[in-house]
Amino acid sequence: ETAGIPDFRGPTDEEGRWTGYYRSEFAFRPASPDNRVYLAFKGVDYKAAVYFNDKCVGAHEGFFAPFEFDVTELLQENNTLVIEVQNDYPMMGVGGTLLDGDKIYAATGPGWDDPDSGWHHCPPGAGLYNKVYVEERPPLFIKDIFVRPNIDEAYAEIWVDAENATDGLIEDREICIEILPDNFTGETYGPFPFVIAYAGPGMNYFRYRIELPAFRLWELESPCLYIARVSLRSGGQWTDCQDRHFGMRKFQLDEQSLPKGSLYFNNRPIILRGANEMGHLQQCVMRADDGQLIDDILIAKLANMNFFRMTQRPVQEEIYDYFDRLGMLHQSDLPTFGHIRRNQFVEAVRQAAEMERLIRSHPSSVIVSLINEPSRTEKRRKGHRFLFRDELEAFFVAARQAIYIENPDRVVKNTDGDYDPPTREGLPDFHCYTMWYTDNIMPVGKMHHGFLPPIREGWK
């Protein structure tokens, strides 16, 4: 059948194990024989094996992270691309049955337009739900930019990932950084040139500190954004240039003072007032309906919300971009719910780092969570398949360290809704779903008085 992109398959059979193949033919001729050609994917759900002109160029696991492959050596004037997409049962299972698999996926996703199966907790489908494109790049190019703001000392640290796609050294290059106002009128900083002695084959990581003595804060009602413009130069000529917008802001969780758990935004106490977002914004992106996406965020602000929990999954980057521009904070969750399969320990840590790389430059991104409502494996009669609690806490430690490498300033919640605390590090998080489920029910009228249910025996 003919399929467009985005393509997200469901419901029924696509919720479990299946394999599908996407095939496309296209013509491409590079503008320069010295350049490299990359095949880029913004997101494939769930496992992708990519074949380009009859050769396997690589594979990727995980539905939310971008990935790419260098196809320069296989490029022809007319090309054939085949993508094998594999789906599996999610680790949390399907429909209350004992069927569960290795898919790192929780209870929400893009969903589909069906009120019975597609709107409630967005069951796991699969497919090419995000962009696929071909891009020509120079031999040394900018792969990623992360801006780490410091409002207390008035500077920003610019992390530049530059990839050398050749087999040898590239020498005598220059990185130039300029900081420009994006959505307001203000001061420009730079350009600041930095000499690169050499770039070895593969990825090279550079960090530069830029002083911003009169910066504008990113605030919820005045979300001032800057652009970090990073260019690579050779002999005074530009060879590559990329922009990354960012905001000068600070978000902290106080785990030392009593009471523990106070939140601070730009060094001021803040209470997060928000809601779970369970797939509709992703549908806006897939339909290219930016107007509806903007309206949904603004309606939330009019309802006195300042925070979305992007429940149990990272989403397309367009959503984070609009959060940045409209002044809406958000939490991103690793897509795990209840359990983690023992054999997926390392893969889950890897995906925690991928999630952080996806969101780390967005000023709206303030918290990440590692699992939703972990359940006791012995209670579910699945101790032979899942990590026990002490092993799950070892995962928390490993995932936090992987996130730290990508962003040392990230606030991490080990769990979202933990009925069996405490953990080795971090604070417990309790879900109190009034009039919904479990034993958390309390009268609605008491909530605005700050009433809490009786403390369970043994809790601190």
Side-chain angles (χ1 to χ4, degrees):
E1 62 183 284
T2 300
I5 295 178
D7 181 76
F8 189 72
R9 297 301 172 111
T12 315
D13 292 342
E14 287 76 4
E15 296 177 32
R17 288 188 167 183
W18 67 272
T19 300
Y21 296 87
Y22 293 82
R23 184 177 185 275
S24 178
E25 296 181 352
F26 63 93
F28 189 88
R29 180 173 293 175
S32 169
D34 295 329
N35 284 353
R36 311 296 296 182
V37 176
Y38 280 77
L39 184 62
F41 298 82
K42 296 293 285 185
V44 178
D45 190 350
Y46 175 65
K47 286 185 178 180
V50 180
Y51 300 86
F52 189 75
N53 291 334
D54 300 327
K55 303 291 184 182
C56 182
V57 295
H60 181 265
E61 177 174 352
F63 70 88
F64 61 83
F67 59 96
E68 61 190 23
F69 305 108
D70 187 338
V71 296
T72 310
E73 309 304 331
L74 300 174
L75 196 66
Q76 303 171 5
E77 186 172 344
N78 295 295
N79 304 277
T80 301
L81 170 64
V82 175
I83 305 159
E84 179 187 65
V85 178
Q86 291 184 336
N87 198 31
D88 194 2
Y89 296 110
M91 291 189 294
M92 66 175 294
V94 173
T97 70
L98 290 177
L99 284 174
D100 54 64
D102 286 343
K103 184 174 184 177
I104 297 179
Y105 185 101
T108 64
W112 43 81
D113 194 14
D114 178 84
D116 181 56
S117 62
W119 292 359
H120 179 67
H121 272 203
C122 300
L128 299 184
Y129 80 96
N130 213 329
K131 297 181 180 68
V132 182
Y133 57 95
V134 176
E135 187 169 85
E136 188 173 351
R137 302 173 186 171
L140 179 66
F141 62 89
I142 300 166
K143 179 71 175 288
D144 190 37
I145 303 168
F146 169 46
V147 181
R148 186 184 176 196
N150 187 318
I151 68 170
D152 297 324
E153 300 180 49
Y155 72 84
E157 193 173 79
I158 316 297
W159 295 16
V160 181
D161 297 355
E163 184 166 345
N164 175 358
T166 74
D167 295 330
L169 299 180
I170 295 180
E171 301 178 282
D172 300 323
R173 297 296 172 94
E174 185 178 80
I175 285 181
C176 189
I177 299 175
E178 192 173 9
I179 307 297
L180 309 100
D182 183 359
N183 57 354
F184 67 97
T185 301
E187 185 177 354
T188 296
Y189 299 90
F192 303 102
F194 301 94
V195 175
I196 301 176
Y198 78 96
M203 196 63 66
N204 298 266
Y205 304 94
F206 304 102
R207 300 183 186 183
Y208 305 99
R209 174 169 164 164
I210 306 296
E211 305 292 336
L212 304 174
F215 67 86
R216 296 270 292 272
L217 276 172
W218 187 88
E219 300 275 17
L220 298 183
E221 298 308 318
S222 56
C224 295
L225 292 171
Y226 288 92
I227 292 173
R229 178 161 296 162
V230 180
S231 59
L232 288 171
R233 301 186 182 188
S234 176
Q237 300 296 314
W238 284 25
T239 58
D240 193 23
C241 183
Q242 281 200 28
D243 289 351
R244 165 64 73 180
H245 76 248
F246 71 97
M248 293 295 292
R249 69 99 177 96
K250 180 180 179 181
F251 189 85
Q252 293 172 289
L253 168 66
D254 186 352
E255 298 187 14
Q256 305 301 322
S257 303
L258 295 177
K260 295 182 179 181
S262 297
L263 300 172
Y264 294 88
F265 177 66
N266 290 339
N267 294 324
R268 302 187 302 270
I270 187 172
I271 294 177
L272 300 179
R273 305 178 304 273
N276 292 302
E277 196 285 320
M278 319 248 327
H280 179 66
L281 298 185
Q282 285 187 277
Q283 284 285 317
C284 291
V285 175
M286 293 168 69
R287 293 194 301 266
D289 192 351
D290 288 4
Q292 184 65 62
L293 175 59
I294 292 169
D295 282 352
D296 287 345
I297 299 171
L298 292 178
I299 289 169
K301 288 177 71 75
L302 287 171
N304 203 33
M305 285 171 51
N306 60 12
F307 176 78
F308 267 118
R309 177 190 173 198
M310 310 310 290
T311 308
Q312 301 171 38
R313 87 281 185 216
V315 296
Q316 301 101 316
E317 198 159 9
E318 290 90 338
I319 296 172
Y320 304 134
D321 288 340
Y322 278 115
F323 284 167
D324 294 343
R325 296 193 176 279
L326 298 175
M328 176 64 73
L329 302 176
H330 77 268
Q331 170 183 314
S332 186
D333 294 0
L334 191 68
T336 56
F337 190 163
H339 316 283
I340 292 179
R341 293 268 282 141
R342 179 178 298 275
N343 57 294
Q344 287 292 76
F345 182 101
V346 173
E347 176 62 25
V349 172
R350 190 191 69 81
Q351 290 195 26
E354 278 193 323
M355 175 177 70
E356 185 56 44
R357 287 183 68 86
L358 179 70
I359 65 174
R360 61 184 181 174
S361 275
H362 293 281
S364 60
S365 177
V366 292
I367 303 176
V368 300
S369 179
L370 300 177
I371 191 170
N372 184 71
E373 296 181 351
S375 299
R376 295 190 297 274
T377 54
E378 57 274 21
K379 179 181 178 180
R380 303 289 181 176
R381 296 177 291 126
K382 293 186 177 183
H384 63 298
R385 293 180 68 76
F386 296 115
L387 297 175
F388 288 102
R389 179 64 193 221
D390 62 324
E391 297 165 331
L392 183 63
E393 293 190 5
F395 165 74
F396 296 155
V397 174
R400 279 173 168 259
Q401 295 305 309
I403 290 169
Y404 179 87
I405 294 297
E406 305 295 343
N407 179 7
D409 303 317
R410 175 62 65 208
V411 171
V412 180
K413 287 198 299 180
N414 291 342
T415 67
D416 209 287
D418 191 0
Y419 304 114
D420 192 25
T423 59
R424 294 187 192 180
E425 57 180 309
L427 300 179
D429 181 79
F430 184 72
H431 278 177
C432 184
Y433 286 118
T434 301
M435 302 185 297
W436 192 1
Y437 66 87
T438 71
D439 55 354
N440 304 327
I441 299 174
M442 69 170 70
V444 175
K446 291 187 176 183
M447 293 185 68
H448 74 282
H449 292 299
F451 174 82
L452 291 175
I455 300 298
R456 297 184 185 183
E457 185 178 354
W459 280 33
K460 296 180 180 180

